[in-house]
Amino acid sequence: MRVDKPVPSVLVRRFGSRLADAAAGMPVLDVACGSGRNAIFLFQLGCTVICIDRDLTRLRTEQHTMCNEVPARLRSQQIDLVKEPWPFGACTVGGIVNVHFLLPKLFPFFESSLSPGGYLMLETVPGCGGNYLELPRAGELRVAFGKAFDFELYKKRKVGPMSCDAVTIQILARRRNEKLSRH
Ligand SMILES: C[S@@+](CC[C@H](N)C(=O)[O-])C[C@H]1O[C@@H](n2cnc3c(N)ncnc32)[C@H](O)[C@@H]1O
């Protein structure tokens, strides 16, 4: 029997229950799920989780270590998010987790697929080594999500050489209900 459990990201450990409650039974997406360390944590909180990644090998290994039969609430879909179209419709998910994989072309899809009241939890890779080359510019994500989301956490840290404007970001943002905010 396995003794070491996969450790979810700090953000998921801290705010997972908030995201799970707000999802209210709707599925939560783990975008670029990797081993599923975050998905499994949310599953254990009671969520139905859809794990998406171009390579599901690590998730499958983790699932088999966890239990013999894959539970119905832990689903997976293999997809190359760079090359293939976004497969989820409008307001079809109750939460989105996007940790250590940043693909800005997905941001409008996060906005449309997330139901009002649902949370987006996003964490970039840490700022070590040459990571700053793939990290967002300061303010980039605030602009990308500011129209449709309320930020409950927006933590940024400047990284890389002084001459570059890269930051690491941790975001917990709640999808606004546009009908309500118009009144
Ligand atoms: C650094 S891992 C992060 C995994 C997970 N989110 C976590 O926090 O442990 C990045 C993941 O992105 C996935 N990935 C990379 N490019 C992808 C693509 N084009 N489409 C879908 N998944 C991709 C990789 O397979 C890998 O599992």
Side-chain angles (χ1 to χ4, degrees):
M1 200 185 81
R2 161 182 197 152
V3 277
D4 60 318
K5 280 173 78 179
V7 181
S9 91
V10 174
L11 205 59
V12 173
R13 270 180 284 157
R14 188 166 160 209
F15 296 111
S17 306
R18 201 184 295 185
L19 180 141
D21 289 348
M26 291 187 80
V28 172
L29 278 186
D30 185 354
V31 177
C33 62
S35 67
R37 63 186 178 126
N38 299 315
I40 291 167
F41 183 81
L42 293 166
F43 164 78
Q44 286 166 340
L45 288 178
C47 296
T48 294
V49 188
I50 306 174
C51 305
I52 57 175
D53 201 293
R54 71 176 173 191
D55 177 5
L56 296 171
T57 321
R58 289 196 303 143
L59 175 69
R60 299 238 159 92
T61 308
E62 201 56 57
Q63 282 175 329
H64 287 301
T65 319
M66 215 174 87
C67 48
N68 291 330
E69 233 174 88
V70 178
R73 280 195 299 107
L74 198 52
R75 304 177 196 159
S76 58
Q77 186 169 338
Q78 185 172 6
I79 178 168
D80 186 325
L81 291 160
V82 173
K83 296 183 184 155
E84 294 176 63
W86 181 251
F88 303 99
C91 297
T92 51
V93 300
I96 298 179
V97 174
N98 181 198
V99 176
H100 296 179
F101 173 79
L102 195 69
L103 187 58
K105 79 158 193 172
L106 299 182
F107 296 167
F109 299 115
F110 290 175
E111 183 180 319
S112 66
S113 291
L114 191 56
S115 287
Y119 280 99
L120 167 68
M121 203 184 273
L122 185 151
E123 182 180 327
T124 60
V125 288
C128 44
N131 279 0
Y132 69 91
L133 295 167
E134 61 177 275
L135 284 164
R137 311 297 99 191
E140 190 179 327
L141 299 197
R142 196 180 275 285
V143 170
F145 293 113
K147 267 197 194 145
F149 287 83
D150 292 316
F151 295 103
E152 296 188 12
L153 174 86
Y154 186 94
K155 194 169 162 189
K156 67 174 191 313
R157 189 171 70 83
K158 173 155 180 32
V159 291
M162 283 310 286
S163 56
C164 94
D165 191 22
V167 288
T168 60
I169 295 279
Q170 292 184 338
I171 288 176
L172 179 72
R174 193 163 206 187
R175 182 76 171 86
R176 231 174 265 137
N177 188 336
E178 269 136 16
K179 279 192 199 128
L180 289 181
S181 52
R182 258 189 249 128
H183 296 295

